[in-house]
Amino acid sequence: MTMLRTAAKIGTRVAGAGLAAGTGYGFYLYETDEGSERMIKVYWTMVPVVMNYRLLEAKHKLVGTSDEEWVALDDHYAKRTVDKLGSMQGTYVKYCQTAAGFHNMFSEVWIHEFRKLENQVPPRPVETVYETIRKETGKEVEDLFSYFDPVPLGSASIGQVHKAVLKGTGRTVAVKVQYDDAEKLFREDMHTIRNFCNSFAPEHMVTLGALEKQNALEMDYQLEAENLKDVAHNMRKHGLMPREVVVPQPFPELTTRRMLIMEYLQGPKLGDGLRDFFADWATQNGTTLEALEAEARHRIEEEGIPDKYEGESALTISMYRKALQAYNLLVKSSVALYNGSLGWITAPMDCPDPRKIPPNIPRIVDTMMRVHGYQLLADGIFNGDPHGGNFLLLPDGRIGLIDYGATKRLTRNERLSACLLFAAIHRNDEEVLFDMSMTGGYKSKYGNKEVLMKLIQFGYNSWGKEVTGGKNLQQFVDELKEKDPWTDVPDNFVMAQFMSIRLRSLALGMNHPVRCADWWGPMAEEVLKKEGLPYESWDIEQMEKYKPELNMQKHKWGLDRFI
């Protein structure tokens, strides 16, 4: 049977899931081999989606389409597709979470569904968690913990987190436990995803390769424990911790490859906390959160993503917050004073509900941009997946930085090259950016500098309308491909690019669009100066000397691309 299953896997993956699913042999594999079953489910789910969007896109180019046609397609496919992928868990959840950051590729209907999987991944039964703990430690749960909450704090693509109290010390901790089948599903799912992208979206193969390597490291929780310690050390070094941020520290003596025990931080996920506030605000102002979000979507569709935030400053909002706090205190004190005096003679007064204190979003965004700028440029150790579920709003206003499984570590050459990149973007130095790209191995058919500059801006700095002209990601990339098809692309900074995109998505979701180089350009120049390599000293020879090890990827783009 083992040989038969192995042969079945090979046969299926050579022939293609679509063909196998249409035969008796395909049904046999579906019933007897889990890897083949998941692959067939994915193709069965995704191929009709891709085909229908590509057909509508082709119609749009030939005769034009109406907004209603696109909306109808979104409404038809978004929820059912994401629900199906979410139910399969594993790597498919991870990439749905990734897709939640691509506002310029997916409509808000899709983004809304993808975001559900940042915090609403269906958890596994707690008994499976207990079993993993027994396997990892050789002890029963009650031998390690005096209390273990059976309801998880959160669940993700490869594991879930529970609140517990350590036996003996009484310390409240967060226990992150990996699913038994996580590694197996990761390997099988990546094979399917790679084949699917190779056939239907080859332009994303470079990004996929870098993400695949990085996600493989997330399977070792002992590595994540080291990441937490190193990041906390660096945040203290830069004066950010404990004043502005907190990184939960692990208990190394209790941590194993598939179980991570760390300090417990109290507070809602950043996205949840902000949504709760604006939902209350909307109700108080006679509208709904859904209406506010729809209005924001319509504005972006009509005007494109703004280039940068131009609202109230962090200082202004801070003063407003303090004024509200003083007002609430005054009202509460006045009511208490009245009830303690005249209230004895007349009727006591009810104290009105205190006014909600708005979050200081500009300050939150500024903190996150500085945190990740230092991580990337000064430390070379950064979280490549900073989505809204990886930050907590602590009761004292600080930000909790959690989940450092997707941590990328750069060599010194890579870090210095990243500094040069962001300094050049900030200075709008096209000559340096072009030389860096050529030195790094980027190749295109015509060597069109305009195309390259737009790709760099979009990937690392801004997806505002000044860059994209208001187009979505796929339209933007397709247009650039038509002007100057690129063939060889280095993958060294894919995770830095991904971090930039994730942070921009998170900030945009808070109505605070950013340009990364506004923060990271000056920081990069300061790092280069401290390391004795000021920006002005870089030339082709210097770039060659400090360029990272290259991992070139060939882009397929031609007759083999699915349309």
Side-chain angles (χ1 to χ4, degrees), residues 387-402:
H387 62 70
N390 286 348
F391 302 97
L392 300 180
L393 278 175
L394 304 186
D396 58 11
R398 293 181 297 173
I399 304 297
L401 308 178
I402 62 173

Side-chain angles (χ1 to χ4, degrees), residues 37-48:
E37 175 189 351
R38 289 173 66 81
M39 180 168 61
I40 290 170
K41 280 182 178 179
V42 168
Y43 273 74
W44 192 262
T45 300
M46 293 303 302
V47 169

